């Protein structure tokens, strides 16, 4: 709705004499009022000055000497600026926030002075309506037939259609008056991508109706006839307009006429105004007896009461009264209008108008909070408040007010039937207008109210946040259901209406204009009752209702394209609950009601505490299955109560789980994938816990005690893409060659400090090696655990850590690294030494970097990710799924696992503008949205995963980021900056991500997000995990027999899982493809970018660096392998030929 707000400071100073300015204000008010009313006028006395001396102001002169005007000093200017800033801080959240609001208002405020063509069109319409002659009395059906036959205009009767033998005739009479009402009349229209509405209320004369026309749709039928005559008058006039029928807020009892311009046709072409004129027939409030339209009265038989029908009719009597009421508040409050504009933006971005919170209703709530109720209670705002304060105060009221206990009454009516109890009995939400007769929130359901309050609570958290959340409040459209909610149900109403529920009887049909609002209300009620505290919100919305139709055709299939959407926000503590307990065995009536609601699922059970209660049990195991209990409940209740089978419901929840599990092609007795689906990470965590205990038990045989054993691997922080499965190391020959890979799980062993360690780094490595040997010996002798001490001979740096201990334990391989504080100290001394050579300094620096990453950074990162998994139940599965997505798009060589874990953490730590995701489906969508919208070239991603980031550190991060962009504008390394309290530079885990890779990630995320949002069924989601190959320079097909991780592929070929050889030796972390990639990067450096899916991929893609691949002048230190060629003989780069 709103273009991105430019953060710029506008300062305007206008100074005029007070009297002159007041006069201008008065003239402006008069002009505004006359423009607004267009036939509606309000008596107002002439403006008078508050001063008694105004008459003599012009002649009055001081007899004393003239006061000399002195130039303000610098101190005066500073003092004035400080005073202005203080005032701004009091009226607004902050000075920056005020500037942002001012800029937003300037962007969305409509310039009404440019609407000359619209004004001319309105005047022409008034002239056309005034010239319509009175008609002769006709029966309703005859009138409709005559109008269609002679003028080809259909009379838009609502259902039920008028009977042929209806005795009440219709005779057209000239409109009594015509008024511009609604937002345009109050000048609270905001610019948007859609056409805004100009509402024109046309008053039908009282003589047109009989006393009992309020009953049995007689008023609505005559209203439709009146609208048909107005339509014919416009159509037959000399002015050309495009005419269509529509409804007012989707209420088919009250059709309206849309008047649209025909571009370039005449002088009434108002197409540049980007609006549509809506003709709204209405009647005066004294035409029908008000007590007959009270909420508890019935106007349509056989219903005992028709509150929604009555409210619909009353709505047609209040246009001008509400206009006058709000206009008085606008006159009294300088910023009332701006507050409504801000509210309109906030409502639009959240789609709350779909559930009944219109800008008009929000305006009435602001007015209520300014004036209070009859007794003065409820007054929380004043007319002097700023637009920010008015908006915030109203949102705070919405977020905290108990509407059940304290309904809102802007006015009260002492007539029979309009008591508080009557309103509460008839409606879910009560907000009564100033007349005390009409519930403005008649169409808002309990679900709608909860959605409004949920969004209001979120808005208040944004207002109270120390971080600027202006963008989340006003600039982001947040109504994408698959991102907003944890579970989403989509129901095609076309199938529902063919088999309505038995509870939709004649009484309900009399009160509701259609089965749709009744179905939505019942759906919300049933789900809320069944899910109880398993969910924090049940949000039911509908879309696709017919918006307009031709004036020459009868309306058909108004709900043909309607889709009802149910969004659920899960409660992570209660959603996986297995049992719902009901009343105890002594409560017969309550048990009968419980059994009626739950049907065959209800059963009497005895629990461990001795209680015997009626209950419902949902038998299931495993994390994935327990997260789908809510889905089971919803589908069961919909079929039981609304005759809606599961086949007619698209339920978005667990469609992405298959991408986390091993393929069914794999042998279960080797990979245990069926058991792993239920146990998850429990086996590997149990093995690690037991292994840690055994390590501590052998430290009595070591010269130093083991202080602690820390995990430092993705499998031990619940973030491995595929669940780590136990391996039978003694039967490796049974595993196919495509499944010989198993992770070496890094473990950091902290020894106590000692001054006896040598100061020589080479000697220190040998001491550590001796520790490994002793640990291996003790593990074998005490616990019969096999282990191998490894000295990595490929490490050529004499200062770097190079050894470790591989322990084969309970089907897993734990790789132990000894951590010594002295090692980092010695390396740092060499780096800082003035006596060390440059070569040794560089070697020490590289060794220190390796030490920090291997023994500190990974350990610390694992600790915080473990905390994230404990805090957010959906984090683990979400991060695993996102890693799978990166892998499927062959980005593993360019993106570290830690980087992905931080990106996913941001979605949970700062979920704005939504709430924290509680499901894998929502979390995955949010991550794609973050990657698709993050402007990484201009903004760092600040992830407070440690929970200790200060304001000063945030400033440091921004300063470091700006410096990096100045030093490296090409972003050859670390294009994506992901900073935290422990990494203020933001490049600890992102150094490999170049500008090209970052752009690739963004493009893939946008495409994947589009597929996710438009997907109709689970099959559509497969495209999210398939990468396009046309952008690569070369795509190499790998020999699958050498791909030891092929078993992790989403769709491995069955024949490939039968490839075996005679070598039964278990090789830790044996991955020939990864070794091959390392060799390519070592040989070709930055000349080529390598892409591969580490999780079972059988392809290797290459992209030549266009800069490096272009022939250049040959030199020795090119940085990659190259050969000189004779450019005079059409020299070219030798193509890469590799056989895998």
């Amino acid at each position: 709705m709103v273009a991105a707000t430019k953060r710029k400071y506008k300062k305007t100073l206008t100074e005029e004499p007070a009297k002159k300015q007041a006069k201008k204000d008065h003239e402006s008010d008069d002009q505004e009022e006359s423009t607004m009313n267009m036939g509606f006028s309000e008596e107002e006395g002439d403006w008078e000055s508050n001063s008694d001396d105004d008459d003599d102001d012009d002649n009055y002169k001081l007899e004393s000497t003239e006061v000399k005007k002195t130039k303000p000093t610098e101190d005066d200017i500073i003092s004035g600026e400080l005073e202005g800033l203080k005032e701004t801080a009091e009226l607004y959240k902050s000075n920056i926030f005020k500037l942002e609001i001012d800029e937003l208002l300037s962007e969305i405020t409509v310039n009404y002075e440019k609407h000359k063509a619209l004004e001319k069109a309105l005047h022409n319409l008034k002239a056309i309506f005034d010239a319509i002659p009175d008609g002769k009395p006709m029966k309703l059906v005859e009138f409709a037939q005559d109008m269609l036959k002679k003028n080809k205009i259909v009379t838009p009767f609502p259902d039920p259609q008028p009977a042929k033998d209806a005795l009440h005739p219709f005779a057209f009479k000239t409109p009594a008056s015509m008024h511009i009402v609604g937002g345009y009349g109050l000048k609270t229209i905001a610019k948007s991508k859609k056409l805004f509405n100009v509402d024109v209320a046309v008053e039908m004369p009282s003589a047109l109706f009989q006393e009992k026309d309020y009953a049995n749709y007689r008023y609505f039928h005559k209203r439709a006839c009146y609208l048909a005559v107005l339509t014919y008058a416009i159509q037959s006039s000399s002015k050309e307009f495009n005419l269509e029928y529509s409804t007012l807020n989707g209420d088919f009892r009250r059709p309206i006429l849309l008047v649209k311009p025909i571009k370039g046709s005449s002088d009434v072409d108002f197409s540049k105004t980007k609006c549509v004129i809506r003709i709204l027939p209405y009647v005066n409030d004294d035409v029908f007896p008000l007590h007959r339209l009270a909420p508890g009265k019935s106007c349509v038989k056989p219903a005992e009461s028709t509150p929604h029908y009555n409210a619909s009719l009353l709505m047609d009597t209040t246009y001008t009264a509400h206009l006058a009421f709000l206009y008085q508040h606008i006159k009294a409050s300088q910023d009332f209008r701006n507050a409504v504009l801000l509210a309109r933006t906030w409502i639009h971005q959240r789609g709350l108008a779909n559930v009944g919170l219109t800008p008009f209703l929000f305006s009435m709530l602001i007015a209520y909070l300014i004036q209070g109720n009859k007794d003065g209670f409820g007054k929380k705002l004043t007319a002097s408040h700023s637009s920010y304060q008015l908006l915030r105060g109203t949102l705070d009221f919405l977020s905290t007010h108990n509407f059940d206990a304290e309904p809102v009454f802007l006015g009260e009516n002492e007539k029979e039937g309009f008591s508080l109890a009557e309103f509460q009995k008839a409606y879910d939400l009560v907000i009564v207008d100033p007349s005390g007769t009409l519930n403005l929130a008649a169409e808002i359901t309990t679900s709608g109210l909860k959605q409004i309050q949920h969004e209001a609570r979120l808005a208040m958290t944004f207002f109270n946040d120390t971080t600027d959340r202006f963008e989340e409040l006003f600039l982001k459209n947040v109504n994408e259901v698959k991102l907003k909610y944890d579970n989403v149900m989509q129901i095609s109403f076309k199938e529902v209406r063919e088999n309505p529920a038995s509870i939709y009887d004649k009484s309900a049909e009399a009160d509701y204009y259609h089965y749709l609002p009744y179905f939505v209300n019942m759906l919300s009620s049933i789900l809320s009752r069944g899910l109880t505290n398993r969910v924090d919100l049940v949000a039911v919305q509908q879309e696709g209702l017919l918006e307009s139709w031709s004036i020459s055709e009868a309306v058909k299939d108004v709900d043909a394209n309607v889709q009802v959407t149910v969004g659920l926000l899960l409660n992570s503590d209660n959603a996986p609950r297995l049992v719902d307990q009901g009343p105890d065995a002594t409560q017969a009536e309550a048990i009968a009601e419980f059994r009626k609601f739950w049907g065959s699922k209800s059963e009497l059970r005895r629990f461990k505490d001795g209680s015997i209660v009626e209950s419902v049990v949902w038998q299931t195991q495993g994390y994935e299955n327990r997260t789908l209990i809510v889905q089971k409940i919803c589908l069961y209740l919909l079929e039981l109560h609304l005759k809606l089978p599961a086949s007619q419901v698209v339920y978005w929840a667990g469609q992405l789980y298959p991408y986390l599990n091993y393929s069914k092609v794999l042998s279960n007795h080797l990979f245990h994938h069926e058991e792993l689906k239920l146990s998850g990470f429990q086996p590997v965590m149990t093995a690690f816990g037991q292994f840690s205990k055994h390590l501590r038990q052998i430290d009595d045989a070591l010269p130093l005690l083991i202080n602690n054993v820390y995990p430092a691997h993705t499998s031990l922080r619940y973030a491995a893409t595929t669940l780590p499965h136990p391996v039978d190391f003694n039967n490796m020959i049974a595993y196919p060659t495509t499944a010989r890979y198993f992770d070496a799980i890094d473990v950091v062993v902290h020894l106590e400090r000692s001054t006896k360690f040598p100061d020589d780094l080479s000697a220190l490595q040998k001491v550590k090696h001796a520790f490994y040997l002793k640990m291996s010996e003790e593990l074998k002798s005490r616990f019969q655990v096999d282990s191998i001490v490894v000295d990595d001979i490929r490490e050529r740096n004499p200062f770097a850590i190079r050894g470790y201990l591989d322990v084969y334990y309970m089907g897993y391989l734990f790789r132990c690294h000894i951590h010594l504080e002295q090692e980092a100290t010695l390396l740092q001394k060499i780096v800082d030494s003035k006596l060390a050579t440059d070569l040794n300094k560089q070697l020490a620096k590289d060794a220190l970097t390796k030490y920090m990453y291997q023994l500190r950074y990974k350990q610390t990162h694992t600790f915080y990710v473990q905390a994230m998994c404990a805090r957010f139940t959906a984090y683990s599965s979400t991060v695993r799924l996102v890693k799978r997505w990166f892998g499927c798009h062959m980005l593993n060589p360019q993106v570290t696992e830690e980087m992905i874990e931080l990106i996913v953490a941001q979605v949970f730590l700062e979920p704005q503008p939504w709430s924290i995701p509680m499901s894998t489906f929502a979390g995955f969508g949010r991550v794609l949205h973050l990657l698709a919208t993050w402007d990484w070239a201009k903004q760092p991603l600040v992830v407070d995963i440690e929970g200790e980031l200060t304001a000063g550190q945030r400033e440091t991060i921004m300063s470091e980021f700006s410096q990096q962009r100045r030093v490296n504008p090409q972003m050859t390394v670390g294009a994506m900056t992901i900073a935290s309290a422990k990494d203020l530079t933001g490049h600890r885990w992102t150094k490999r991500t170049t500008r090209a890779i970052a752009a690739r990630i963004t493009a893939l995320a946008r495409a994947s997000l589009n597929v996710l949002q438009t997907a109709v069924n689970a099959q559509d989601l497969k495209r999210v995990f398939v990468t396009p190959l046309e952008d690569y320079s070369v795509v190499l097909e790998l020999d699958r027999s050498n791909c030891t991780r092929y078993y992790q592929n989403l769709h491995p070929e069955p024949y490939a899982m039968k490839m075996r050889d005679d070598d039964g030796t278990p090789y830790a972390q044996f991955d020939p493809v990864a070794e091959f990639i390392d060799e390519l990067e070592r040989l070709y450096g930055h000349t080529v970018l390598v892409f591969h899916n580490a999780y079972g991929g059988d392809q290797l893609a290459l992209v030549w660096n266009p800069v490096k691949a272009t022939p250049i002048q040959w030199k020795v230190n090119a940085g990659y392998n190259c050969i000189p060629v004779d450019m005079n003989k059409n020299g070219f780069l030798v193509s890469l030929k590799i056989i895998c």
Side-chain angles (χ1 to χ4, degrees), residues 1081-1127:
E1081 292 179 340
R1082 185 182 65 82
L1083 291 174
Y1084 291 94
H1086 298 297
T1087 307
V1088 65
L1089 292 175
V1090 185
F1091 297 86
H1092 174 62
N1093 179 6
Y1095 310 115
D1098 57 355
Q1099 293 177 316
L1100 203 66
L1102 306 177
V1103 173
W1104 296 107
N1105 186 330
V1107 177
K1108 300 292 184 181
T1110 303
I1112 59 173
Q1113 187 68 33
W1114 185 83
K1115 56 184 178 180
V1116 176
N1117 59 342
Y1120 50 88
N1121 292 346
C1122 58
I1123 59 172
V1125 294
D1126 188 355
M1127 297 303 295

Side-chain angles (χ1 to χ4, degrees), residues 800-841:
I801 54 177
R802 53 186 291 164
Y804 47 83
L805 173 65
D806 280 350
V807 182
Y808 297 86
Y809 191 88
M810 294 178 62
Y812 300 98
L813 181 102
F814 293 103
R815 178 163 289 175
C816 300
H817 304 271
I818 292 178
H819 173 274
L820 298 175
E821 291 287 348
Q822 294 91 331
E823 194 169 356
T825 304
L826 292 174
L827 289 170
Q828 191 62 51
K829 283 183 179 180
I830 297 174
V831 173
D832 297 338
S833 174
K834 295 181 179 180
L835 301 177
T837 63
D838 291 342
L839 176 61
N840 282 343
K841 283 186 177 184

